[in-house]
Amino acid sequence: MSVFRNHRTPALAAAWLLTRALMLWLLAHDRLAPLGRGGVSREVRQLYFHWYGVLSQGAFPAGDRLWQYPPGAGPVLLAPGLLPGLTYFTAFVTCALAADAVIAVALARAGLRPGRSARGAWLWVLGLPLLLHVPLARYDVQVTAFAVVSLLALARRPRVSGAFAAMGALVKVWPALALIGTPRGRTTREVWTSAALTAAALLAVLVGAFSHPFDFLRQQSGRGVQIESLGGTVLGLARHAGWPGTARYQYGAMEFVGPYTGAVAACSLALTAAAFALVLLWRIRARRWTSATPYDAALTAVLLFTVTSRVISPQYMVWLLGLAAVCLTSRHTTQRPVALLILAATAVSSVAYPGMYGEVVRSTWTGCLLMLVRNGLLATAAGVSFVRLWRSGLSTAAPHRAAPTGPERGTHRIPAGLRTRQ
């Protein structure tokens, strides 16, 4: 591919190979105490493999309290079985690495265009290893690939963008937020129509191929307050003030149980709704769009969704790294300070899990401090992200327009959907 003929890409490729080799080494040695005593890889070896067996019989895991994913997650978990001669675990890791490579190449290619930057590719290549080996043993890299490709395809191929966003949303919902910043007019109509048609078609296939496709909704509604969430941080500190609650493994995560946990969970849901309303208000009020606006809006929306969620698992940082990397491919992004905050929060996340997870579970002062710092960084990032997006959308200054990236039917034009709306 042409991306590998650029003089910068050998260094990027070498960095990817070296860092991914280190991540594989960590995964191979994850039974060491600082790496989680086998807990990181256990999810794939036992839980995902169990689900693979159920899915192979043409059914979703009905009644399984740990199954809380939309129907599109089924094909992703079945995909490792298509690789011959490998165990399920090895094949799963191979699929995660392949998705990781797709993201890196897509970001590198985007960075070669006029008005673009290679910073996004470097952020992804060097930022993902901050999570140690966790990304290789979760399917969030695969989901992030859908969102990254969707955003990078938006300017040139709106229908392709919508299709990839829909596929990602069917796997883990949040990639639908990647479409929140699509330019008004024809682009939005094309993207959202493509997303709706793709989602409907794929959902029809999945409903016909598998039984119990919507059982995940019942399990998702029962989730409580995970110990790593913002509400969990509050409850963890409350334990030092005499709150009698404890942490218990349920619904696939360590959650707090005890008095007032229901109220904290309800507060989180209310904050998520308020955050979504703020993003919609920005979209209604915004009068200025640049080539970076769809990227910036996607990062802002997912950040707000993550910070206000009842659950903030370490692998959620993969989503934020991917979207921050997309933002940095544009020289006109408003989110550079946000990307730095996300990198810092990612580094703290790997200390909390798997390194010192026992401290977090027991809500020791060390564990509480780690969560306070990590979630404080994320909350600050979300606030800064929204403020910068809001100001850029209402600015009366002349907008930055990206240089033409290629011929538009024989002439160089800025896509109609990316023009400033007066």
Side-chain angles (χ1 to χ4, degrees), residues 2 37 61 73 113 131 207 381:
S2 61
R37 299 183 185 276
R113 299 172 189 163
L131 289 171
V207 169

Side-chain angles (χ1 to χ4, degrees), residues 18 65 69 106 156 180 204 222 233 235 238 243 311 328 331 339 350 354 367 390:
L18 288 172
R65 298 179 71 183
Y69 309 107
R156 293 183 169 189
I180 197 71
T233 301
L235 292 175
W243 180 65
V311 180
L328 292 191
R331 298 183 187 277
S350 64
W390 181 272

